[in-house]
Amino acid sequence: MSDDLRSIVALASCSSYDPDILSRKISSMLDQLGGLATFIRPGMKVLIKPNLLSAKDPMRAITTHPEMVAAVARMVRDLGAEVVVGDSPGGAKRGVARVWNNTGMAAMAKRENIELVSFEASGVVEHKIDGRSYFLAKPAVEADAIISIPKLKTHVLTLMTGAIKNMFGLIPGFRKANYHKQHPKPSDFAQVVVDILSLCPPQLTIMDAILAMEGDGPSSGTPRWTNLLLASADPVALDAVAAEIIGLRPDKVPTTKIASDAGLGYGWVEAVDIVGERLADVRIHDFKLTSNRMMELLPKFLVKIIDPYVWVRPAITSSDCTKCNTCVDSCPVGALSGPKGEIPSFDYDKCINCWCCHELCPSKAVFVDQSWLARKFIR
Ligand code: SF4
Ligand code: SF4
């Protein structure tokens, strides 16, 4: 990342995934950052890292739209660099091919002749930071440059997911659950995500905020047309601008705050040059944030005191549950159980509120349940 570009975020309005429109918009944003050639040189091996959380149609707004990836890949190739697309999709246990197919990535990759790499199968490289150990996907570590293409979504654990959180996907799937287990507090988990960002930072981030997700994201919220694209060499600044757009204070988003404090980028918009659209013109005043956000923002000592009366926890809507057992398999602490073919049940004494079950349920059957007082309080 070049220092003089760290604080520039390009912001463009874009209301369509039409390939020509996308190419034009992205190209003009990159020009405002000095051009793609500032980041990519001929002969480089470039990894494009989208957000492929689950095997869903891109119009559900859970995953990065494949046309975003196609547009960027074409530009990278035009500069004479090689490109592969990789991620560690959620639900990889049920087959990565299903994720590539359902998210539209397989068809796009075939059309554009791009190799798709699954981090589950590509091997890992161990890296340490302050005594903490991380196993990062080899294609990410070995790439000459990473272009991250996150999706703008709310997140019940970290309030929002964007540029910084997208790098958590560099950890292959089955290892991700362990990090949740070892770091149940949102701030501790955010530190894990920031560690990964610092070990393997993207050279460039281009956010798909055309069709975003509001409500209880990252998978059970509601698609919302926000009609925006953001690009920056500084993922922290990009997330800060995205947070402001949807009505979150960047310093309340744990990933942004921790990354900014660690000097990995600028986590407040006053330090950022926003080019293209004006922030004031694109703020969304009625964007629905997560229903548990007040609990995440409260001081921990207060949460402990009010805990018996004001609680927020996962629960299952029986009528939506297909009894697939994905939530049971994804719970890092065994707080969900039940034989296959039955609706799983929770052991709330074990539950660490990591929200993995909520994130990975393919049927939106896991919801954010709240006590009566919590509902009052949050409202
Ligand atoms: S709650 Fe969701 S993940 Fe769990 S068994 Fe039901 S459908 Fe599957
Ligand atoms: S029950 Fe859900 S929220 Fe609780 S620990 Fe398990 S996966 Fe996490």
Side-chain angles (χ1 to χ4, degrees):
M1 187 190 296
S2 119
D3 279 345
D4 55 340
L5 292 175
R6 284 174 66 91
S7 61
I8 301 174
V9 174
L11 190 50
S13 60
C14 184
S15 54
S16 163
Y17 287 108
D18 174 85
D20 292 337
I21 296 174
L22 268 183
S23 295
R24 215 169 44 245
K25 294 274 182 181
I26 293 172
S27 171
S28 126
M29 280 199 306
L30 296 182
D31 285 347
Q32 291 169 315
L33 299 179
L36 186 59
T38 310
F39 309 95
I40 307 297
R41 284 179 295 285
M44 271 186 163
K45 276 192 218 148
V46 178
L47 169 72
I48 293 184
K49 162 69 180 78
N51 177 339
L52 296 181
L53 175 60
S54 59
K56 299 291 179 193
D57 185 284
M59 298 318 280
R60 297 271 300 269
I62 297 169
T63 52
T64 300
H65 197 285
E67 291 305 335
M68 290 281 306
V69 175
V72 176
R74 282 193 297 268
M75 290 175 204
V76 170
R77 275 191 175 152
D78 286 349
L79 288 173
E82 286 173 36
V83 66
V84 296
V85 174
D87 196 13
S88 162
K93 227 174 167 179
R94 296 174 69 195
V96 176
R98 218 176 121 257
V99 180
W100 297 130
N101 288 333
N102 293 5
T103 55
M105 289 292 161
M108 180 280 297
K110 192 169 175 207
R111 187 190 75 207
E112 303 284 337
N113 193 24
I114 298 172
E115 185 190 352
L116 298 174
V117 292
S118 162
F119 295 164
E120 315 302 321
S122 58
V124 289
V125 180
E126 185 179 8
H127 279 273
K128 288 197 172 160
I129 180 166
D130 295 336
R132 300 184 291 277
S133 190
Y134 294 99
F135 293 88
L136 303 173
K138 239 184 196 169
V141 175
E142 292 177 353
D144 296 315
I146 299 176
I147 300 181
S148 168
I149 312 188
K151 189 84 174 165
L152 174 60
K153 298 187 285 180
T154 49
H155 197 292
V156 287
L157 183 64
T158 53
L159 297 178
M160 68 167 268
T161 167
I164 303 171
K165 176 76 172 43
N166 195 35
M167 303 320 283
F168 188 51
L170 300 190
I171 304 279
F174 67 96
R175 293 180 194 266
K176 285 199 197 86
N178 270 341
Y179 290 110
H180 278 291
K181 185 177 176 177
Q182 289 157 6
H183 308 280
K185 276 171 45 189
S187 56
D188 292 345
F189 177 71
Q191 180 65 61
V192 167
V193 176
V194 170
D195 281 351
I196 295 162
L197 173 75
S198 72
L199 289 170
C200 217
Q203 275 59 38
L204 178 65
T205 303
I206 304 170
M207 178 181 268
D208 173 5
I210 298 176
L211 183 62
M213 176 174 279
E214 64 179 0
D216 287 334
S219 57
S220 295
T222 311
R224 166 90 188 242
W225 289 97
T226 43
N227 301 325
L228 289 169
L229 290 167
L230 293 88
S232 183
D234 178 347
V236 186
L238 190 150
D239 272 0
V241 174
E244 289 276 354
I245 290 171
I246 62 172
L248 274 169
R249 272 180 50 182
D251 64 335
K252 296 293 179 192
V253 178
T255 43
T256 307
K257 168 93 174 89
I258 293 170
S260 181
D261 288 350
L264 298 175
Y266 294 96
W268 64 102
V269 289
E270 292 75 14
V272 178
D273 285 335
I274 299 172
V275 296
E277 299 290 337
R278 285 176 354 129
L279 180 58
D281 296 338
V282 300
R283 283 184 193 277
I284 303 164
H285 298 285
D286 61 349
F287 196 88
K288 286 194 192 74
L289 300 172
T290 58
S291 55
N292 64 333
R293 68 192 177 283
M294 285 312 293
M295 296 298 282
E296 297 305 332
L297 296 174
L298 281 176
K300 293 304 159 211
F301 78 90
L302 191 55
V303 171
K304 271 205 179 124
I305 294 169
I306 62 177
D307 182 63
Y309 317 102
V310 185
W311 47 258
V312 176
R313 63 193 189 191
I316 293 174
T317 307
S318 311
S319 55
D320 291 339
C321 176
T322 59
K323 303 167 186 166
C324 67
N325 257 34
T326 302
C327 55
V328 176
D329 294 341
S330 64
C331 179
V333 292
L336 269 158
S337 60
K340 228 177 177 153
E342 285 184 22
I343 295 170
S345 53
F346 290 90
D347 179 342
Y348 289 115
D349 288 336
K350 283 190 186 168
C351 176
I352 56 171
N353 268 40
C354 68
W355 299 102
C356 290
C357 51
H358 177 267
E359 186 170 328
L360 294 174
C361 171
S363 310
K364 280 192 172 187
V366 179
F367 67 97
V368 179
D369 194 16
Q370 296 161 25
S371 66
W372 177 82
L373 259 180
R375 268 196 292 275
K376 281 277 219 207
F377 198 55
I378 286 166
R379 219 173 283 146

